[in-house]
């Protein structure tokens, strides 16, 4: 899979300290000039649906499970790989110093109608909801949030970068 970007948090040295890797699958679903995204009320941002791949799952199996759980998507088909975004961040627990997150992005197709999402407790608490959105509106929204919010996390930077790559590579043709 094509490496899109490697992001290293400015506060760490990836050659020092202990680290572990978290593999994630992220779905790119576009229908009728709109993209399926997760809106998180707590952070006021849009992100690609998806999440961590469980032990024993392939990337595609984890992606399908996460896409179904977060959005209620039905008849999910993984069409082709889009790219990998990797990041190194400080870890907040005592067992490791650094987390290496690998976000594998795939172009997917689903039924137009979404079923019932099965969100985890923290996702419900954070106010996560699936939404069909114009990608340019989502990018503008995330950029506005980054410029106005003091909660400047790496996740919104990753998601906005990915949305721009998707718009440039898939929607400009």
């Amino acid at each position: 899979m094509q490496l899109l970007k490697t992001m290293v948090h400015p506060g760490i040295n990836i050659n020092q300290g202990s680290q572990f890797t978290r593999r994630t699958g992220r779905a790119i679903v576009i229908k009728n000039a709109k993209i399926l995204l997760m809106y998180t009320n707590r952070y006021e941002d849009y992100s690609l649906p998806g999440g961590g791949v469980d032990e024993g799952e392939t990337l595609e199996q984890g992606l399908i499970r996460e896409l179904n759980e977060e959005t209620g998507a039905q008849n999910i088909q993984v069409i082709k790989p889009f790219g990998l975004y990797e990041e190194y961040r400080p870890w907040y627990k005592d067992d490791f110093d650094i987390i290496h997150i690998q976000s594998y992005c795939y172009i997917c197709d689903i039924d137009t109608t979404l079923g019932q999402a099965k969100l985890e407790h923290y996702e419900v608490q954070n106010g996560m909801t699936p939404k069909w959105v114009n990608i340019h509106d989502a990018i503008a929204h995330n950029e506005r949030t980054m410029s106005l919010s003091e909660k400047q996390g790496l996740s919104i930077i990753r998601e906005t970068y990915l949305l721009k790559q998707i718009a440039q590579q898939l929607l400009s043709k």
Side-chain angles (χ1 to χ4, degrees):
M1 184 175 293
Q2 171 192 1
L3 177 63
L4 299 171
K5 185 172 184 136
T6 299
M7 174 74 114
V8 179
H9 186 278
I12 63 170
N13 178 342
I14 61 172
N15 298 314
Q16 293 181 330
S18 61
Q19 63 180 267
F20 73 102
T21 300
R22 180 175 187 256
R23 296 180 327 137
T24 67
R26 303 202 183 277
I28 301 166
V29 182
I30 299 170
K31 285 191 180 289
N32 304 320
K34 296 202 177 208
I35 187 167
L36 179 61
L37 298 174
M38 296 302 294
Y39 182 76
T40 305
N41 194 48
R42 178 178 180 187
Y43 301 111
E44 299 176 21
D45 68 355
Y46 286 101
S47 59
L48 294 173
V53 176
D54 291 341
E55 180 103 16
E57 286 183 321
T58 65
L59 285 167
E60 291 185 7
Q61 289 168 336
L63 169 67
I64 290 168
R65 178 185 48 73
E66 284 284 344
L67 180 56
N68 171 261
E69 288 173 1
E70 288 189 350
T71 69
Q74 303 294 310
N75 295 316
I76 300 165
Q77 296 178 353
V78 178
I79 306 298
K80 67 179 184 176
F82 179 76
L84 167 63
Y85 184 104
E86 68 174 351
E87 56 197 301
Y88 295 86
R89 300 180 179 189
W91 185 236
Y92 58 91
K93 295 182 181 175
D94 293 337
D95 49 353
F96 290 96
D97 301 311
I98 298 168
I99 182 172
H100 175 209
I101 303 171
Q102 297 174 323
S103 295
Y104 293 90
C105 302
Y106 290 88
I107 299 167
C108 298
D109 190 33
I110 63 171
D111 286 353
T112 304
T113 303
L114 298 176
Q116 184 65 42
K118 298 177 267 318
L119 297 174
E120 294 185 46
H121 178 71
Y122 78 92
E123 293 169 327
V124 172
Q125 279 191 314
N126 287 341
M128 292 180 74
T129 53
K131 294 185 183 273
W132 290 100
V133 188
N134 174 290
I135 195 167
H136 302 290
D137 292 345
I139 292 167
H141 178 92
N142 279 5
E143 287 179 332
R144 201 167 36 255
T145 296
M146 286 191 289
S147 70
L148 298 175
S149 177
E150 295 176 16
K151 301 179 267 190
Q152 192 56 254
L154 291 179
S155 295
I156 193 171
I157 294 169
R158 174 191 64 227
E159 297 299 327
T160 305
Y161 176 86
L162 289 171
L163 290 172
K164 287 179 179 180
Q165 290 299 306
I166 294 162
Q168 179 184 1
Q169 294 183 37
L170 300 179
L171 300 177
S172 64
K173 297 175 182 175

